[in-house]
Amino acid sequence: QQPVQSPQAVILREGEDAVINCSSSKALYSVHWYRQKHGEAPVFLMILLKGGEQKGHEKISASFNEKKQQSSLYLTASQLSYSGTYFCGTEDYGQNFVFGPGTRLSVLP
Amino acid sequence: EPEVTQTPSHQVTQMGQEVILRCVPISNHLYFYWYRQILGQKVEFLVSFYNNEISEKSEIFDDQFSVERPDGSNFTLKIRSTKLEDSAMYFCASTEVGNSDDGYTFGSGTRLTVV
């Protein structure tokens, strides 16, 4: 079952912060985050495997709340290069992996 | 950095024709996947492949689709009789192991246009 992402779209000015949420109705083994720029393939950002885990990648970090079956992606001091569509991907204990519908992020100068 | 390569980058075909999309996964990866993305929509899982057989497939992956690893390097997706609604971007991906800490590495995709 597809995870839910919110918001669907967000517009930021350079330097502003954003949070993208991903939640599932199923118990999750892991959560992946990907960024896709227009016309390109999704690019892997990070995977979170354990409840309570947090990971960082430059100024992009994420957390995984296993009990709530949700993950959040944090983008701080956004840069123009952060623009794109962010997909979470959730994997359940049956090794079923499914992408969320995506959150379109636009960073303006 | 190792990458997944896909050919062709763009394929235009007439409805009812067969197409074969090609992928060369990363050489030490063992799990291979096909995903598709209709323009502006989400990335949808089609099929996963391990040890020369399909390990998982979605409802989208019906009898008109097939996958093959004809040699040690290529991984192909065949659509037997294309329909207009097959028009999409098709991504191949690979992972070293099934539950990978490194995530999926995607190829740059093949844009299939059925006319």
Side-chain angles (χ1 to χ4, degrees):
Chain A
Q1 196 167 359
Q2 184 186 1
V4 175
Q5 282 187 240
S6 63
Q8 287 185 325
V10 59
I11 300 174
L12 300 174
R13 292 281 178 192
E14 245 183 315
E16 291 182 338
D17 302 340
V19 180
I20 300 171
N21 298 302
C22 173
S23 63
S24 173
S25 59
K26 302 185 81 172
L28 298 177
Y29 172 80
S30 71
V31 178
H32 300 214
W33 285 98
Y34 291 81
R35 176 171 62 210
Q36 183 181 33
K37 292 190 178 284
H38 183 69
E40 298 180 12
V43 173
F44 174 72
L45 295 176
M46 65 191 83
I47 181 173
L48 300 110
L49 292 168
K50 302 173 191 175
E53 184 175 23
Q54 294 198 40
K55 276 192 175 179
H57 178 80
E58 296 178 344
K59 292 181 182 176
I60 301 174
S61 61
S63 63
F64 177 26
N65 187 324
E66 194 175 25
K67 285 183 181 175
K68 291 186 179 178
Q69 295 164 193
Q70 60 185 214
S71 175
S72 295
L73 184 72
Y74 307 94
L75 300 107
T76 56
S78 57
Q79 303 166 16
L80 295 176
S81 61
Y82 287 3
S83 293
T85 300
Y86 289 79
F87 292 95
C88 70
T90 57
E91 184 172 13
D92 63 24
Y93 285 90
Q95 297 186 17
N96 300 301
F97 180 85
V98 62
F99 282 101
T103 295
R104 190 182 300 275
L105 178 78
S106 301
V107 181
L108 304 178
Chain B
E1 191 168 326
E3 57 181 31
V4 175
T5 56
Q6 287 186 244
T7 54
S9 57
H10 192 182
Q11 172 103 38
V12 180
T13 189
Q14 288 202 321
M15 196 168 57
Q17 295 295 303
E18 175 183 285
V19 293
I20 297 176
L21 310 183
R22 292 183 166 78
C23 169
V24 179
I26 293 173
S27 60
N28 65 331
H29 284 189
L30 300 176
Y31 291 77
F32 315 120
Y33 311 84
W34 283 102
Y35 287 83
R36 82 168 184 196
Q37 186 177 33
I38 295 168
L39 187 64
Q41 298 187 26
K42 66 178 190 268
V43 180
E44 300 174 292
F45 170 73
L46 292 178
V47 66
S48 59
F49 191 87
Y50 170 71
N51 200 26
N52 283 322
E53 59 183 28
I54 291 172
S55 48
E56 197 86 35
K57 60 182 181 178
S58 71
E59 291 175 353
I60 302 168
F61 194 88
D62 61 21
D63 291 344
Q64 69 161 340
F65 291 93
S66 62
V67 288
E68 200 176 34
R69 189 156 162 81
D71 53 42
S73 59
N74 289 286
F75 177 51
T76 61
L77 174 70
K78 183 193 290 186
I79 309 175
R80 286 193 187 83
S81 178
T82 50
K83 298 179 275 202
L84 294 176
E85 53 264 37
D86 293 329
S87 294
M89 194 75 155
Y90 288 80
F91 292 107
C92 173
S94 68
T95 58
E96 191 172 352
V97 295
N99 295 332
S100 173
D101 272 3
D102 296 327
Y104 295 78
T105 303
F106 284 87
S108 53
T110 294
R111 182 172 297 285
L112 177 66
T113 303
V114 183
V115 296

mmCIF file with all atom_site columns, all heavy atoms in Angstrom, chain A residues 46-61:
data_model
loop_
_atom_site.group_PDB
_atom_site.id
_atom_site.type_symbol
_atom_site.label_atom_id
_atom_site.label_alt_id
_atom_site.label_comp_id
_atom_site.label_asym_id
_atom_site.label_entity_id
_atom_site.label_seq_id
_atom_site.pdbx_PDB_ins_code
_atom_site.Cartn_x
_atom_site.Cartn_y
_atom_site.Cartn_z
_atom_site.occupancy
_atom_site.B_iso_or_equiv
_atom_site.pdbx_formal_charge
_atom_site.auth_seq_id
_atom_site.auth_comp_id
_atom_site.auth_asym_id
_atom_site.auth_atom_id
_atom_site.pdbx_PDB_model_num
ATOM 1   N N   . MET A 1 46 ? 19.005 8.672  1.195  1.00 0.00 ? 46 MET A N   1
ATOM 2   C CA  . MET A 1 46 ? 19.341 7.921  2.402  1.00 0.00 ? 46 MET A CA  1
ATOM 3   C C   . MET A 1 46 ? 18.282 6.875  2.705  1.00 0.00 ? 46 MET A C   1
ATOM 4   O O   . MET A 1 46 ? 17.171 6.920  2.197  1.00 0.00 ? 46 MET A O   1
ATOM 5   C CB  . MET A 1 46 ? 19.511 8.853  3.598  1.00 0.00 ? 46 MET A CB  1
ATOM 6   C CG  . MET A 1 46 ? 18.257 9.580  4.023  1.00 0.00 ? 46 MET A CG  1
ATOM 7   S SD  . MET A 1 46 ? 18.616 10.871 5.222  1.00 0.00 ? 46 MET A SD  1
ATOM 8   C CE  . MET A 1 46 ? 19.124 12.193 4.145  1.00 0.00 ? 46 MET A CE  1
ATOM 9   N N   . ILE A 1 47 ? 18.680 5.946  3.544  1.00 0.00 ? 47 ILE A N   1
ATOM 10  C CA  . ILE A 1 47 ? 17.765 4.912  4.014  1.00 0.00 ? 47 ILE A CA  1
ATOM 11  C C   . ILE A 1 47 ? 17.796 4.916  5.537  1.00 0.00 ? 47 ILE A C   1
ATOM 12  O O   . ILE A 1 47 ? 18.842 5.107  6.145  1.00 0.00 ? 47 ILE A O   1
ATOM 13  C CB  . ILE A 1 47 ? 18.138 3.519  3.456  1.00 0.00 ? 47 ILE A CB  1
ATOM 14  C CG1 . ILE A 1 47 ? 17.163 2.447  3.929  1.00 0.00 ? 47 ILE A CG1 1
ATOM 15  C CG2 . ILE A 1 47 ? 19.556 3.144  3.836  1.00 0.00 ? 47 ILE A CG2 1
ATOM 16  C CD1 . ILE A 1 47 ? 17.385 1.082  3.267  1.00 0.00 ? 47 ILE A CD1 1
ATOM 17  N N   . LEU A 1 48 ? 16.648 4.734  6.143  1.00 0.00 ? 48 LEU A N   1
ATOM 18  C CA  . LEU A 1 48 ? 16.553 4.642  7.595  1.00 0.00 ? 48 LEU A CA  1
ATOM 19  C C   . LEU A 1 48 ? 15.990 3.274  7.936  1.00 0.00 ? 48 LEU A C   1
ATOM 20  O O   . LEU A 1 48 ? 14.953 2.871  7.408  1.00 0.00 ? 48 LEU A O   1
ATOM 21  C CB  . LEU A 1 48 ? 15.663 5.756  8.147  1.00 0.00 ? 48 LEU A CB  1
ATOM 22  C CG  . LEU A 1 48 ? 16.194 7.151  7.827  1.00 0.00 ? 48 LEU A CG  1
ATOM 23  C CD1 . LEU A 1 48 ? 15.319 7.843  6.815  1.00 0.00 ? 48 LEU A CD1 1
ATOM 24  C CD2 . LEU A 1 48 ? 16.301 7.992  9.079  1.00 0.00 ? 48 LEU A CD2 1
ATOM 25  N N   . LEU A 1 49 ? 16.699 2.587  8.822  1.00 0.00 ? 49 LEU A N   1
ATOM 26  C CA  . LEU A 1 49 ? 16.363 1.202  9.097  1.00 0.00 ? 49 LEU A CA  1
ATOM 27  C C   . LEU A 1 49 ? 15.779 0.967  10.484 1.00 0.00 ? 49 LEU A C   1
ATOM 28  O O   . LEU A 1 49 ? 15.104 -0.028 10.703 1.00 0.00 ? 49 LEU A O   1
ATOM 29  C CB  . LEU A 1 49 ? 17.606 0.320  8.932  1.00 0.00 ? 49 LEU A CB  1
ATOM 30  C CG  . LEU A 1 49 ? 18.131 0.192  7.501  1.00 0.00 ? 49 LEU A CG  1
ATOM 31  C CD1 . LEU A 1 49 ? 19.509 -0.433 7.494  1.00 0.00 ? 49 LEU A CD1 1
ATOM 32  C CD2 . LEU A 1 49 ? 17.172 -0.630 6.668  1.00 0.00 ? 49 LEU A CD2 1
ATOM 33  N N   . LYS A 1 50 ? 16.082 1.826  11.388 1.00 0.00 ? 50 LYS A N   1
ATOM 34  C CA  . LYS A 1 50 ? 15.664 1.558  12.763 1.00 0.00 ? 50 LYS A CA  1
ATOM 35  C C   . LYS A 1 50 ? 14.766 2.669  13.272 1.00 0.00 ? 50 LYS A C   1
ATOM 36  O O   . LYS A 1 50 ? 14.973 3.834  12.969 1.00 0.00 ? 50 LYS A O   1
ATOM 37  C CB  . LYS A 1 50 ? 16.877 1.469  13.683 1.00 0.00 ? 50 LYS A CB  1
ATOM 38  C CG  . LYS A 1 50 ? 17.885 0.424  13.285 1.00 0.00 ? 50 LYS A CG  1
ATOM 39  C CD  . LYS A 1 50 ? 19.124 0.530  14.161 1.00 0.00 ? 50 LYS A CD  1
ATOM 40  C CE  . LYS A 1 50 ? 20.249 -0.326 13.627 1.00 0.00 ? 50 LYS A CE  1
ATOM 41  N NZ  . LYS A 1 50 ? 21.490 -0.134 14.398 1.00 0.00 ? 50 LYS A NZ  1
ATOM 42  N N   . GLY A 1 51 ? 13.817 2.287  14.052 1.00 0.00 ? 51 GLY A N   1
ATOM 43  C CA  . GLY A 1 51 ? 12.975 3.293  14.673 1.00 0.00 ? 51 GLY A CA  1
ATOM 44  C C   . GLY A 1 51 ? 13.806 4.252  15.490 1.00 0.00 ? 51 GLY A C   1
ATOM 45  O O   . GLY A 1 51 ? 14.708 3.835  16.210 1.00 0.00 ? 51 GLY A O   1
ATOM 46  N N   . GLY A 1 52 ? 13.524 5.512  15.352 1.00 0.00 ? 52 GLY A N   1
ATOM 47  C CA  . GLY A 1 52 ? 14.269 6.520  16.089 1.00 0.00 ? 52 GLY A CA  1
ATOM 48  C C   . GLY A 1 52 ? 15.536 6.956  15.388 1.00 0.00 ? 52 GLY A C   1
ATOM 49  O O   . GLY A 1 52 ? 16.215 7.886  15.810 1.00 0.00 ? 52 GLY A O   1
ATOM 50  N N   . GLU A 1 53 ? 15.857 6.287  14.290 1.00 0.00 ? 53 GLU A N   1
ATOM 51  C CA  . GLU A 1 53 ? 17.099 6.604  13.595 1.00 0.00 ? 53 GLU A CA  1
ATOM 52  C C   . GLU A 1 53 ? 16.997 7.960  12.910 1.00 0.00 ? 53 GLU A C   1
ATOM 53  O O   . GLU A 1 53 ? 15.953 8.332  12.389 1.00 0.00 ? 53 GLU A O   1
ATOM 54  C CB  . GLU A 1 53 ? 17.397 5.529  12.547 1.00 0.00 ? 53 GLU A CB  1
ATOM 55  C CG  . GLU A 1 53 ? 18.735 5.717  11.840 1.00 0.00 ? 53 GLU A CG  1
ATOM 56  C CD  . GLU A 1 53 ? 19.057 4.564  10.906 1.00 0.00 ? 53 GLU A CD  1
ATOM 57  O OE1 . GLU A 1 53 ? 18.131 3.862  10.472 1.00 0.00 ? 53 GLU A OE1 1
ATOM 58  O OE2 . GLU A 1 53 ? 20.257 4.365  10.617 1.00 0.00 ? 53 GLU A OE2 1
ATOM 59  N N   . GLN A 1 54 ? 18.098 8.666  12.940 1.00 0.00 ? 54 GLN A N   1
ATOM 60  C CA  . GLN A 1 54 ? 18.201 9.905  12.186 1.00 0.00 ? 54 GLN A CA  1
ATOM 61  C C   . GLN A 1 54 ? 19.470 9.844  11.365 1.00 0.00 ? 54 GLN A C   1
ATOM 62  O O   . GLN A 1 54 ? 20.483 9.318  11.810 1.00 0.00 ? 54 GLN A O   1
ATOM 63  C CB  . GLN A 1 54 ? 18.233 11.105 13.122 1.00 0.00 ? 54 GLN A CB  1
ATOM 64  C CG  . GLN A 1 54 ? 16.941 11.318 13.880 1.00 0.00 ? 54 GLN A CG  1
ATOM 65  C CD  . GLN A 1 54 ? 16.837 12.712 14.454 1.00 0.00 ? 54 GLN A CD  1
ATOM 66  O OE1 . GLN A 1 54 ? 17.205 13.689 13.834 1.00 0.00 ? 54 GLN A OE1 1
ATOM 67  N NE2 . GLN A 1 54 ? 16.340 12.804 15.671 1.00 0.00 ? 54 GLN A NE2 1
ATOM 68  N N   . LYS A 1 55 ? 19.390 10.383 10.165 1.00 0.00 ? 55 LYS A N   1
ATOM 69  C CA  . LYS A 1 55 ? 20.572 10.402 9.312  1.00 0.00 ? 55 LYS A CA  1
ATOM 70  C C   . LYS A 1 55 ? 20.693 11.761 8.674  1.00 0.00 ? 55 LYS A C   1
ATOM 71  O O   . LYS A 1 55 ? 19.704 12.464 8.496  1.00 0.00 ? 55 LYS A O   1
ATOM 72  C CB  . LYS A 1 55 ? 20.456 9.334  8.222  1.00 0.00 ? 55 LYS A CB  1
ATOM 73  C CG  . LYS A 1 55 ? 20.887 7.961  8.652  1.00 0.00 ? 55 LYS A CG  1
ATOM 74  C CD  . LYS A 1 55 ? 21.014 7.044  7.458  1.00 0.00 ? 55 LYS A CD  1
ATOM 75  C CE  . LYS A 1 55 ? 21.557 5.704  7.884  1.00 0.00 ? 55 LYS A CE  1
ATOM 76  N NZ  . LYS A 1 55 ? 21.671 4.769  6.753  1.00 0.00 ? 55 LYS A NZ  1
ATOM 77  N N   . GLY A 1 56 ? 21.894 12.117 8.302  1.00 0.00 ? 56 GLY A N   1
ATOM 78  C CA  . GLY A 1 56 ? 22.103 13.412 7.661  1.00 0.00 ? 56 GLY A CA  1
ATOM 79  C C   . GLY A 1 56 ? 22.903 13.260 6.399  1.00 0.00 ? 56 GLY A C   1
ATOM 80  O O   . GLY A 1 56 ? 23.698 12.349 6.260  1.00 0.00 ? 56 GLY A O   1
ATOM 81  N N   . HIS A 1 57 ? 22.625 14.165 5.472  1.00 0.00 ? 57 HIS A N   1
ATOM 82  C CA  . HIS A 1 57 ? 23.326 14.165 4.184  1.00 0.00 ? 57 HIS A CA  1
ATOM 83  C C   . HIS A 1 57 ? 23.441 15.620 3.778  1.00 0.00 ? 57 HIS A C   1
ATOM 84  O O   . HIS A 1 57 ? 22.484 16.195 3.278  1.00 0.00 ? 57 HIS A O   1
ATOM 85  C CB  . HIS A 1 57 ? 22.498 13.346 3.183  1.00 0.00 ? 57 HIS A CB  1
ATOM 86  C CG  . HIS A 1 57 ? 23.067 13.284 1.813  1.00 0.00 ? 57 HIS A CG  1
ATOM 87  N ND1 . HIS A 1 57 ? 24.083 12.430 1.490  1.00 0.00 ? 57 HIS A ND1 1
ATOM 88  C CD2 . HIS A 1 57 ? 22.754 13.955 0.697  1.00 0.00 ? 57 HIS A CD2 1
ATOM 89  C CE1 . HIS A 1 57 ? 24.365 12.590 0.207  1.00 0.00 ? 57 HIS A CE1 1
ATOM 90  N NE2 . HIS A 1 57 ? 23.568 13.500 -0.297 1.00 0.00 ? 57 HIS A NE2 1
ATOM 91  N N   . GLU A 1 58 ? 24.606 16.210 3.988  1.00 0.00 ? 58 GLU A N   1
ATOM 92  C CA  . GLU A 1 58 ? 24.791 17.653 3.811  1.00 0.00 ? 58 GLU A CA  1
ATOM 93  C C   . GLU A 1 58 ? 23.785 18.353 4.714  1.00 0.00 ? 58 GLU A C   1
ATOM 94  O O   . GLU A 1 58 ? 23.743 18.112 5.909  1.00 0.00 ? 58 GLU A O   1
ATOM 95  C CB  . GLU A 1 58 ? 24.647 18.040 2.344  1.00 0.00 ? 58 GLU A CB  1
ATOM 96  C CG  . GLU A 1 58 ? 25.721 17.419 1.470  1.00 0.00 ? 58 GLU A CG  1
ATOM 97  C CD  . GLU A 1 58 ? 25.545 17.771 -0.002 1.00 0.00 ? 58 GLU A CD  1
ATOM 98  O OE1 . GLU A 1 58 ? 24.462 18.221 -0.386 1.00 0.00 ? 58 GLU A OE1 1
ATOM 99  O OE2 . GLU A 1 58 ? 26.512 17.583 -0.738 1.00 0.00 ? 58 GLU A OE2 1
ATOM 100 N N   . LYS A 1 59 ? 22.945 19.202 4.173  1.00 0.00 ? 59 LYS A N   1
ATOM 101 C CA  . LYS A 1 59 ? 21.958 19.892 5.001  1.00 0.00 ? 59 LYS A CA  1
ATOM 102 C C   . LYS A 1 59 ? 20.600 19.223 4.890  1.00 0.00 ? 59 LYS A C   1
ATOM 103 O O   . LYS A 1 59 ? 19.575 19.829 5.188  1.00 0.00 ? 59 LYS A O   1
ATOM 104 C CB  . LYS A 1 59 ? 21.876 21.361 4.590  1.00 0.00 ? 59 LYS A CB  1
ATOM 105 C CG  . LYS A 1 59 ? 23.138 22.137 4.920  1.00 0.00 ? 59 LYS A CG  1
ATOM 106 C CD  . LYS A 1 59 ? 23.026 23.580 4.524  1.00 0.00 ? 59 LYS A CD  1
ATOM 107 C CE  . LYS A 1 59 ? 24.327 24.307 4.832  1.00 0.00 ? 59 LYS A CE  1
ATOM 108 N NZ  . LYS A 1 59 ? 24.301 25.701 4.384  1.00 0.00 ? 59 LYS A NZ  1
ATOM 109 N N   . ILE A 1 60 ? 20.600 17.982 4.455  1.00 0.00 ? 60 ILE A N   1
ATOM 110 C CA  . ILE A 1 60 ? 19.365 17.226 4.359  1.00 0.00 ? 60 ILE A CA  1
ATOM 111 C C   . ILE A 1 60 ? 19.455 16.069 5.343  1.00 0.00 ? 60 ILE A C   1
ATOM 112 O O   . ILE A 1 60 ? 20.411 15.293 5.311  1.00 0.00 ? 60 ILE A O   1
ATOM 113 C CB  . ILE A 1 60 ? 19.165 16.700 2.923  1.00 0.00 ? 60 ILE A CB  1
ATOM 114 C CG1 . ILE A 1 60 ? 19.118 17.864 1.941  1.00 0.00 ? 60 ILE A CG1 1
ATOM 115 C CG2 . ILE A 1 60 ? 17.906 15.862 2.837  1.00 0.00 ? 60 ILE A CG2 1
ATOM 116 C CD1 . ILE A 1 60 ? 19.066 17.436 0.480  1.00 0.00 ? 60 ILE A CD1 1
ATOM 117 N N   . SER A 1 61 ? 18.493 15.968 6.218  1.00 0.00 ? 61 SER A N   1
ATOM 118 C CA  . SER A 1 61 ? 18.492 14.897 7.208  1.00 0.00 ? 61 SER A CA  1
ATOM 119 C C   . SER A 1 61 ? 17.100 14.301 7.283  1.00 0.00 ? 61 SER A C   1
ATOM 120 O O   . SER A 1 61 ? 16.139 14.856 6.735  1.00 0.00 ? 61 SER A O   1
ATOM 121 C CB  . SER A 1 61 ? 18.929 15.427 8.578  1.00 0.00 ? 61 SER A CB  1
ATOM 122 O OG  . SER A 1 61 ? 18.034 16.428 9.021  1.00 0.00 ? 61 SER A OG  1
#
